[in-house]
Amino acid sequence: MATHEPKDAPATDPDHVQETLCIGKFNILLSGAFATITFTHARPKPGALVDHGITDYESVVRARIVTTAENMLAMRDLLIRIYNDKPQGSVGPSTTGGILN
């Protein structure tokens, strides 16, 4: 029977994980062998919007991902590769993975 290393495992999505809109500020916290990436999305505060019609924005945490420092380096390399292969100002989809080999 064939066995796969984690880096060779086929990608599946049995839980149908939804995309989450995160076009606000973000942060990366490195702590030892792990990194935590926190993504936000700017939204109007509901009280001010509903009660007074005022759009007073706040950055709401929408996703927090913990991964290895190795995967962060792989993500950096992937982003460099993606953006170096495209004309400046052009961003397109990528189907490459981000795990270090």
Short mmCIF file of all heavy atoms in Angstrom, two decimals, residues 7 9 13 24 26-27 32 41-42 44 55 64 67 69 73-74 79-81 90-91 94-95 97 99:
data_model
loop_
_atom_site.label_atom_id
_atom_site.label_comp_id
_atom_site.label_asym_id
_atom_site.label_seq_id
_atom_site.Cartn_x
_atom_site.Cartn_y
_atom_site.Cartn_z
N LYS A 7 3.29 16.50 2.84
CA LYS A 7 3.43 17.46 1.74
C LYS A 7 2.89 16.92 0.43
O LYS A 7 2.61 17.68 -0.48
CB LYS A 7 4.89 17.89 1.58
CG LYS A 7 5.83 16.77 1.16
CD LYS A 7 7.25 17.27 1.06
CE LYS A 7 8.22 16.15 0.83
NZ LYS A 7 8.33 15.70 -0.51
N ALA A 9 0.11 14.82 0.31
CA ALA A 9 -1.28 14.42 0.48
C ALA A 9 -2.18 15.21 -0.47
O ALA A 9 -2.00 16.41 -0.63
CB ALA A 9 -1.72 14.64 1.92
N ASP A 13 -11.71 19.12 0.38
CA ASP A 13 -12.48 20.10 1.15
C ASP A 13 -13.80 19.47 1.58
O ASP A 13 -14.87 19.89 1.17
CB ASP A 13 -12.71 21.35 0.29
CG ASP A 13 -13.35 22.49 1.06
OD1 ASP A 13 -13.49 22.39 2.30
OD2 ASP A 13 -13.74 23.48 0.43
N GLY A 24 -9.25 44.04 5.37
CA GLY A 24 -8.80 45.07 6.28
C GLY A 24 -7.35 44.86 6.67
O GLY A 24 -6.58 44.20 5.97
N PHE A 26 -4.09 43.42 8.74
CA PHE A 26 -3.71 42.08 9.19
C PHE A 26 -2.41 42.16 9.96
O PHE A 26 -1.71 43.17 9.92
CB PHE A 26 -3.61 41.09 8.02
CG PHE A 26 -2.49 41.38 7.08
CD1 PHE A 26 -1.26 40.77 7.23
CD2 PHE A 26 -2.66 42.26 6.02
CE1 PHE A 26 -0.22 41.04 6.35
CE2 PHE A 26 -1.64 42.53 5.13
CZ PHE A 26 -0.41 41.92 5.30
N ASN A 27 -2.11 41.09 10.68
CA ASN A 27 -0.89 41.04 11.47
C ASN A 27 -0.37 39.62 11.48
O ASN A 27 -1.15 38.67 11.40
CB ASN A 27 -1.19 41.50 12.91
CG ASN A 27 0.05 41.46 13.77
OD1 ASN A 27 0.38 40.44 14.36
ND2 ASN A 27 0.75 42.57 13.83
N GLY A 32 8.23 31.35 18.32
CA GLY A 32 8.93 30.07 18.22
C GLY A 32 8.74 29.43 16.86
O GLY A 32 8.99 30.05 15.83
N HIS A 41 -11.56 42.84 8.89
CA HIS A 41 -12.38 43.45 7.85
C HIS A 41 -13.03 44.69 8.47
O HIS A 41 -13.58 44.62 9.58
CB HIS A 41 -13.46 42.48 7.37
CG HIS A 41 -14.29 43.00 6.26
ND1 HIS A 41 -13.80 43.13 4.98
CD2 HIS A 41 -15.55 43.47 6.23
CE1 HIS A 41 -14.75 43.63 4.20
NE2 HIS A 41 -15.82 43.85 4.95
N ALA A 42 -12.94 45.83 7.82
CA ALA A 42 -13.52 47.07 8.33
C ALA A 42 -15.03 47.05 8.10
O ALA A 42 -15.49 46.83 6.98
CB ALA A 42 -12.90 48.28 7.64
N PRO A 44 -18.89 49.01 9.58
CA PRO A 44 -19.48 50.07 10.41
C PRO A 44 -19.97 49.48 11.73
O PRO A 44 -20.50 48.37 11.76
CB PRO A 44 -20.65 50.59 9.59
CG PRO A 44 -20.71 49.81 8.34
CD PRO A 44 -19.65 48.77 8.36
N THR A 55 -21.74 56.13 9.94
CA THR A 55 -20.82 55.05 9.60
C THR A 55 -19.49 55.27 10.32
O THR A 55 -18.62 55.98 9.84
CB THR A 55 -20.59 54.94 8.07
OG1 THR A 55 -20.25 56.23 7.58
CG2 THR A 55 -21.82 54.43 7.37
N ARG A 64 -8.29 33.90 12.03
CA ARG A 64 -7.00 33.78 12.71
C ARG A 64 -6.46 32.40 12.36
O ARG A 64 -7.12 31.40 12.63
CB ARG A 64 -7.19 33.94 14.21
CG ARG A 64 -5.91 34.11 14.98
CD ARG A 64 -6.18 34.43 16.45
NE ARG A 64 -6.53 35.84 16.59
CZ ARG A 64 -7.65 36.28 17.15
NH1 ARG A 64 -8.54 35.45 17.63
NH2 ARG A 64 -7.90 37.57 17.25
N THR A 67 -0.02 28.59 11.88
CA THR A 67 0.72 27.68 11.01
C THR A 67 2.17 27.63 11.48
O THR A 67 2.54 28.31 12.43
CB THR A 67 0.59 28.10 9.53
OG1 THR A 67 1.14 27.05 8.71
CG2 THR A 67 1.30 29.41 9.24
N ALA A 69 6.33 28.16 11.19
CA ALA A 69 7.24 29.15 10.63
C ALA A 69 7.70 28.70 9.24
O ALA A 69 7.87 29.53 8.34
CB ALA A 69 8.43 29.37 11.56
N LEU A 73 7.53 30.80 5.59
CA LEU A 73 8.59 30.98 4.60
C LEU A 73 8.13 30.51 3.22
O LEU A 73 8.41 31.15 2.20
CB LEU A 73 9.85 30.23 5.02
CG LEU A 73 10.53 30.75 6.28
CD1 LEU A 73 11.66 29.82 6.70
CD2 LEU A 73 11.03 32.16 6.08
N ALA A 74 7.39 29.40 3.19
CA ALA A 74 6.86 28.90 1.93
C ALA A 74 5.86 29.90 1.34
O ALA A 74 5.84 30.13 0.13
CB ALA A 74 6.20 27.54 2.12
N LEU A 79 4.42 34.03 -2.63
CA LEU A 79 4.02 35.40 -2.98
C LEU A 79 5.06 36.08 -3.87
O LEU A 79 4.70 36.76 -4.83
CB LEU A 79 3.79 36.22 -1.71
CG LEU A 79 2.56 35.83 -0.90
CD1 LEU A 79 2.58 36.51 0.45
CD2 LEU A 79 1.29 36.17 -1.66
N ILE A 80 6.32 35.88 -3.55
CA ILE A 80 7.38 36.46 -4.40
C ILE A 80 7.28 35.89 -5.80
O ILE A 80 7.35 36.62 -6.79
CB ILE A 80 8.77 36.20 -3.78
CG1 ILE A 80 8.94 37.04 -2.51
CG2 ILE A 80 9.88 36.48 -4.79
CD1 ILE A 80 10.17 36.68 -1.69
N ARG A 81 7.09 34.57 -5.90
CA ARG A 81 6.99 33.92 -7.22
C ARG A 81 5.77 34.44 -7.98
O ARG A 81 5.84 34.75 -9.16
CB ARG A 81 6.94 32.41 -7.02
CG ARG A 81 7.33 31.62 -8.22
CD ARG A 81 7.59 30.14 -7.94
NE ARG A 81 6.62 29.50 -7.06
CZ ARG A 81 6.91 29.03 -5.85
NH1 ARG A 81 8.12 29.15 -5.35
NH2 ARG A 81 5.98 28.44 -5.12
N SER A 90 -0.88 43.77 -11.89
CA SER A 90 -1.77 42.69 -12.31
C SER A 90 -1.71 41.56 -11.31
O SER A 90 -0.64 41.10 -10.95
CB SER A 90 -1.35 42.22 -13.70
OG SER A 90 -1.50 40.85 -13.85
N VAL A 91 -2.86 41.12 -10.83
CA VAL A 91 -2.92 40.00 -9.90
C VAL A 91 -3.91 39.00 -10.46
O VAL A 91 -5.01 39.35 -10.84
CB VAL A 91 -3.39 40.48 -8.50
CG1 VAL A 91 -3.50 39.30 -7.56
CG2 VAL A 91 -2.47 41.53 -7.95
N SER A 94 -3.89 31.81 -8.51
CA SER A 94 -2.78 30.87 -8.48
C SER A 94 -3.30 29.53 -8.01
O SER A 94 -4.16 29.44 -7.16
CB SER A 94 -1.70 31.36 -7.52
OG SER A 94 -0.72 30.36 -7.35
N THR A 95 -2.75 28.47 -8.56
CA THR A 95 -3.15 27.12 -8.13
C THR A 95 -1.98 26.39 -7.51
O THR A 95 -2.05 25.21 -7.28
CB THR A 95 -3.70 26.32 -9.32
OG1 THR A 95 -2.68 26.24 -10.32
CG2 THR A 95 -4.95 26.93 -9.88
N GLY A 97 0.73 25.39 -4.53
CA GLY A 97 0.63 25.20 -3.08
C GLY A 97 1.70 25.94 -2.34
O GLY A 97 2.63 26.48 -2.92
N ILE A 99 3.35 24.60 0.67
CA ILE A 99 4.08 23.80 1.65
C ILE A 99 5.51 23.61 1.17
O ILE A 99 5.77 23.35 0.00
CB ILE A 99 3.40 22.44 1.87
CG1 ILE A 99 2.18 22.65 2.74
CG2 ILE A 99 4.32 21.42 2.47
CD1 ILE A 99 1.53 21.40 3.24
#
